[in-house]
Amino acid sequence: MKLQSIIKRVELHHVSSWMNDDVRPVESERRTWSFRTFHNFWLLINCNLSTFLTGSALIPLGLTWWQAIITIVIGNMLATGALLLSSLAGSYYHINFPVFSRAVWVWLAVFTSPLIICRPFPYDA
């Protein structure tokens, strides 16, 4: 069997190689999350067994119970801030996370490659 005929058999018709369901903006019919859904999701993530285990692991390190609670609350606030910053593109432009993730990695590659190239490497004689 020729290679062309094998490629023809596995080829998907009417599908672009640049566009799929992960890249398309979310249609308004599929946007079903409300403020209550986000709130409950945040509670589910932050009020679970691992949060209590984190608090109990901080106490043997020398923190008192109220210092451990403050540390966990500050950590959750920082994580929520990072989550909000990373979700702004999705909430404003209605793009999925894979698109935003690709944009971040392209930015990282474009701006760090020259720094890596211009870095002086030591040579052993």
Side-chain angles (χ1 to χ4, degrees):
M1 205 181 290
K2 293 182 180 179
L3 182 63
Q4 293 294 341
S5 64
I6 294 173
I7 291 174
K8 192 84 163 160
R9 290 177 110 183
V10 297
E11 187 177 83
L12 297 174
H13 300 288
H14 307 295
V15 177
S16 171
S17 60
W18 297 104
M19 183 67 72
N20 59 23
D21 288 335
D22 292 335
V23 179
R24 287 189 184 97
V26 179
E27 301 89 19
S28 57
E29 303 88 38
R30 291 179 44 211
R31 296 181 213 150
T32 58
W33 281 40
S34 63
F35 176 78
R36 184 176 177 189
T37 312
F38 281 106
H39 176 266
N40 291 340
F41 185 64
W42 185 83
L43 280 177
L44 176 74
I45 290 173
N46 291 318
C47 297
N48 57 22
L49 187 60
S50 65
T51 304
F52 297 121
L53 290 175
T54 303
S56 66
L58 290 174
I59 293 173
L61 294 175
L63 273 67
T64 60
W65 64 269
W66 59 272
Q67 290 172 334
I69 290 175
I70 291 173
T71 304
I72 290 172
V73 168
I74 290 172
N76 283 337
M77 291 171 112
L78 290 172
T80 302
L83 179 86
L84 288 174
L85 284 176
S86 69
S87 65
L88 283 176
S91 64
Y92 186 74
Y93 296 111
H94 305 294
I95 58 174
N96 295 329
F97 183 74
V99 175
F100 182 69
S101 179
R102 290 176 191 172
V104 169
W105 283 108
V106 167
W107 178 87
L108 187 68
V110 166
F111 288 105
T112 59
S113 295
L115 296 175
I116 293 171
I117 292 170
C118 295
R119 182 176 169 252
F121 292 102
Y123 294 100
D124 292 333

